[in-house]
Amino acid sequence: MYCRSCGVGSIDVTRSVASKLELLALPGIPMVREGDDLAALIIAALNGKEVHSGDVLVVAQKIVSKAEGRAVDLASVTPSVEAQVLATEVGKDPRLVEVILGESVRVVRSRPNLIIVEHRLGFVMANAGVDHSNVAATDGVDRVLLLPRDPDASAEALRAKLEQRYGVPIGVIISDSFGRAWRRGTCGVAIGAAGLPSLIDMRGQPDLFGRTLEVTVVGFADEIAAAASLLQGQAADAQPVVLVRGRDWSASPVSAAVLVRSAEEDLFR
């Protein structure tokens, strides 16, 4: 069980094959600022705990973006005509819309208070991931936070530092909360990954009754990110790093970029 209010918790999931998945939210991660060493903060939060081969650290996108200086002062933004027109249609600040368009390759759909775009990284998502929430304005500056420039590279940099410290192979996932087509509510997904397979292709393997699987490809990194989001929370939980233990894999590591469906495979584009 876990205790969100006390900042530490674990979730045990017992499967029919007697495996156990353990999730531990790391306490004591401070408010992250530009230039902070996230690996050092994670090591301090682990506080001497052992890190095992195959452990996965799921790190919330916001603290990665903050450390990488991905905040934008809206006062420095001059909205284009396109941004002003769209802002009027959706009822948003034209400066915010300009930042959203700057992170996007196209607008997919829009309605009052919502813009769905294709992000420059390929994600189809609301508002290009540009976010006001949990971005402190203690100095009076109105800032928004962008996604990391290259979440897979961010995950790889963290993985390398943590593996050097602990001497065992681990996985790192950069997670964010996405809405999903045809379903209400947000869910944790992997936008960056290193040291683990983001997809596991099970086609050709037998099911319980010996029939050959023909279409099953598992979004492995997304599944782990979704599990970790139960502890990370969405609001004031302040638990941005979760250690996941007990999920083995044999497939080769593949970055989270492969999770983005290509235009050729998109039946609704």
Side-chain angles (χ1 to χ4, degrees):
M1 300 297 291
Y2 75 93
C3 171
R4 182 168 288 175
S5 62
C6 64
V8 181
S10 65
I11 299 173
D12 292 340
V13 180
T14 303
R15 302 180 185 276
S16 58
V17 292
S19 62
K20 185 172 79 169
L21 183 68
E22 181 182 3
L23 285 80
L24 178 68
L26 302 187
I29 300 289
M31 294 296 292
V32 173
R33 303 177 186 221
E34 182 176 354
D36 281 351
D37 185 338
L38 286 184
L41 294 179
I42 291 169
I43 291 167
L46 282 163
N47 194 27
K49 293 182 179 67
E50 289 187 9
V51 174
H52 300 169
S53 175
D55 283 355
V56 179
L57 282 155
V58 182
V59 183
Q61 163 267 320
K62 278 191 175 65
I63 67 170
V64 177
S65 292
K66 288 178 179 178
E68 294 180 355
R70 295 290 286 154
V72 173
D73 176 1
L74 286 181
S76 69
V77 177
T78 302
S80 63
V81 173
E82 180 186 5
Q84 293 179 48
V85 171
L86 183 56
T88 299
E89 294 174 357
V90 300
K92 288 184 178 291
D93 186 331
R95 301 171 302 171
L96 174 61
V97 174
E98 179 64 31
V99 176
I100 292 170
L101 293 178
E103 286 289 284
S104 309
V105 297
R106 69 184 177 105
V107 175
V108 178
R109 292 286 188 276
S110 63
R111 64 162 173 77
N113 202 39
L114 179 65
I115 306 172
I116 302 294
V117 301
E118 181 181 348
H119 190 275
R120 59 180 175 78
L121 294 170
F123 311 130
V124 176
M125 62 189 311
N127 304 324
V130 178
D131 203 351
H132 260 118
S133 62
N134 293 322
V135 182
T138 54
D139 56 2
V141 176
D142 189 12
R143 296 184 180 88
V144 293
L145 202 62
L146 315 185
L147 297 187
R149 292 189 187 279
D150 185 342
D152 281 325
S154 300
E156 174 58 28
L158 274 175
R159 183 206 60 79
K161 288 183 178 180
L162 293 169
E163 283 193 5
Q164 183 178 32
R165 167 63 177 79
Y166 292 103
V168 293
I170 63 168
V172 172
I173 290 172
I174 309 299
S175 66
D176 198 4
S177 297
F178 275 32
R180 298 154 298 154
W182 306 293
R183 296 186 71 84
R184 291 176 173 172
T186 62
C187 186
V189 301
I191 64 169
L196 75 162
S198 292
L199 283 176
I200 296 180
D201 190 346
M202 299 184 67
R203 291 173 295 184
Q205 297 185 30
D207 69 7
L208 286 173
F209 304 98
R211 290 188 290 265
T212 300
L213 297 174
E214 297 181 355
V215 297
T216 304
V217 180
V218 177
F220 187 61
D222 278 347
E223 289 189 325
I224 295 173
S229 72
L230 292 172
L231 289 179
Q232 288 174 324
Q234 301 293 330
D237 305 84
Q239 297 185 159
V241 182
V242 174
L243 176 68
V244 180
R245 176 172 295 159
R247 190 64 178 92
D248 298 326
W249 62 85
S250 58
S252 299
V254 181
S255 70
V258 302
L259 293 166
V260 178
R261 192 180 298 279
S262 67
E264 293 75 21
E265 295 178 343
D266 189 344
L267 300 181
F268 302 94
R269 187 172 298 238

